[in-house]
C-alpha cells in the first residue's frame, strides 16, 4: 500500500525533462526504497516525495547504466563466408594467383620457396584488406626475407640476391608457416 500511496508524488514532477520510461524506472526504485524504509520502521517523517525522487533517481541512473548493456542484444559480426578447402596438389604460378583471397569461396594460398601453404584460417590477415594480403596468391619468399609488404617486392619471387641476414629471416618465416599452416603442394613450372 505504501508504494501506491507515494507513487502519485512522482507524477507531480513529470514537467521535469525526464522521459516517461525513465520516470517510471526512477519512481519504481524510489518507491521500492520507500517500501523498505516503511517496512523496517526507518521512515523519516519529514521526507517528502521530492527527496524520494532524488534517491530513486540516483539509484535508477546507476542501475540504468549498469544494466543497459546487458538488456540490449549484442550485435554479432556477420559470419565469414566459408572458403572451400584447397585441393592438395601442385600449382603453377598462374594457378596460385587465383588464390589471393579476392574470391571468398576459394582458399587463400601463399608460396614460400616453392612450397604452398593454405592460410585460409587467417583470412583476416591474408585476405582482402588484411595486413599481409600482399603475400597471398604468390611465392612471397623475397618479401618475407626482406620483411616487406611492398607489392613490388612481393611480386618478385627471386631470392638469389638476398643477404645472409635476410636468408635467416626467411628461414624463420618458413619454420613459422610449416608449424602453423598445412602444406598443400608445391609450385611447379607451367607446362607448354
Amino acid at each position: 500500500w505504501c508504494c501506491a500511496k507515494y507513487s502519485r508524488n512522482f507524477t507531480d514532477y513529470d514537467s521535469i525533462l525526464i522521459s516517461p520510461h525513465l520516470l517510471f524506472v526512477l519512481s519504481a526504485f524510489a518507491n521500492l526504497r520507500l517500501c523498505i524504509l516503511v517496512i523496517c520502521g526507518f521512515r523519516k517523517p519529514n521526507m517528502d516525495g521530492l527527496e524520494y525522487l532524488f534517491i530513486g533517481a540516483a539509484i535508477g541512473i546507476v542501475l540504468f547504466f549498469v544494466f543497459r548493456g546487458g538488456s540490449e542484444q549484442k550485435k554479432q559480426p556477420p559470419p565469414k563466408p566459408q572458403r572451400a578447402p584447397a585441393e592438395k596438389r601442385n600449382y603453377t604460378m598462374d594457378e596460385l594467383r587465383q588464390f589471393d583471397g579476392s574470391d571468398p569461396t576459394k582458399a587463400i594460398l601463399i608460396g614460400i620457396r616453392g612450397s604452398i601453404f593454405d592460410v585460409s584460417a587467417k583470412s583476416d590477415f591474408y585476405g582482402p584488406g588484411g595486413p599481409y594480403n600482399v603475400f597471398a596468391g604468390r611465392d612471397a619468399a623475397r618479401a618475407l626475407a626482406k620483411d616487406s609488404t611492398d607489392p613490388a617486392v612481393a611480386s618478385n619471387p627471386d631470392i638469389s640476391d638476398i643477404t645472409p641476414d635476410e636468408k635467416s629471416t626467411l628461414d624463420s618465416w618458413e619454420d613459422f608457416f610449416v608449424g602453423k599452416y598445412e602444406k598443400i603442394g608445391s609450385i611447379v613450372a607451367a607446362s607448354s
Side-chain angles (χ1 to χ4, degrees):
W1 65 270
C2 58
C3 296
K5 180 178 178 184
Y6 290 101
S7 65
R8 76 174 99 85
N9 291 339
F10 299 109
T11 58
D12 297 340
Y13 304 109
D14 60 2
S15 60
I16 299 173
L17 298 176
I18 300 176
S19 76
H21 295 94
L22 185 58
L23 185 64
F24 173 77
V25 170
L26 295 177
S27 66
F29 284 109
N31 286 328
L32 178 64
R33 176 159 168 82
L34 176 64
C35 290
I36 292 171
L37 290 174
V38 169
I39 291 169
C40 295
F42 296 117
R43 184 174 183 278
K44 288 173 51 179
N46 59 353
M47 286 183 76
D48 63 1
L50 186 58
E51 287 179 281
Y52 286 110
L53 175 69
F54 288 124
I55 292 170
I59 294 170
I61 289 170
V62 168
L63 291 173
F64 175 75
F65 285 109
V66 168
F67 293 110
R68 178 177 67 160
S71 65
E72 296 175 3
Q73 211 175 44
K74 303 286 186 213
K75 292 183 180 178
Q76 297 293 329
K80 292 181 184 179
Q82 291 294 326
R83 294 184 179 274
E87 183 182 347
K88 292 182 181 184
R89 64 178 180 88
N90 294 333
Y91 292 81
T92 65
M93 287 298 285
D94 287 336
E95 291 172 328
L96 183 60
R97 281 189 198 97
Q98 297 173 18
F99 296 90
D100 63 356
S102 59
D103 183 346
T105 62
K106 289 184 177 179
I108 302 174
L109 306 179
I110 292 180
I112 302 174
R113 289 190 203 168
S115 296
I116 300 174
F117 298 92
D118 184 351
V119 296
S120 301
K122 290 292 186 175
S123 61
D124 50 332
F125 286 103
Y126 301 106
Y132 306 117
N133 178 246
V134 70
F135 303 145
R138 61 184 77 206
D139 189 330
R142 183 177 189 83
L144 291 169
K146 295 185 174 287
D147 281 329
S148 174
T149 56
D150 180 5
V153 175
S155 63
N156 180 3
D158 181 26
I159 57 171
S160 62
D161 62 341
I162 63 173
T163 68
D165 285 342
E166 291 170 337
K167 184 185 179 314
S168 176
T169 300
L170 180 57
D171 291 341
S172 295
W173 274 114
E174 190 171 22
D175 290 343
F176 169 78
F177 276 84
V178 166
K180 184 155 180 115
Y181 302 107
E182 181 181 10
K183 179 182 175 187
I184 59 146
S186 299
I187 299 173
V188 295
S191 57
S192 312

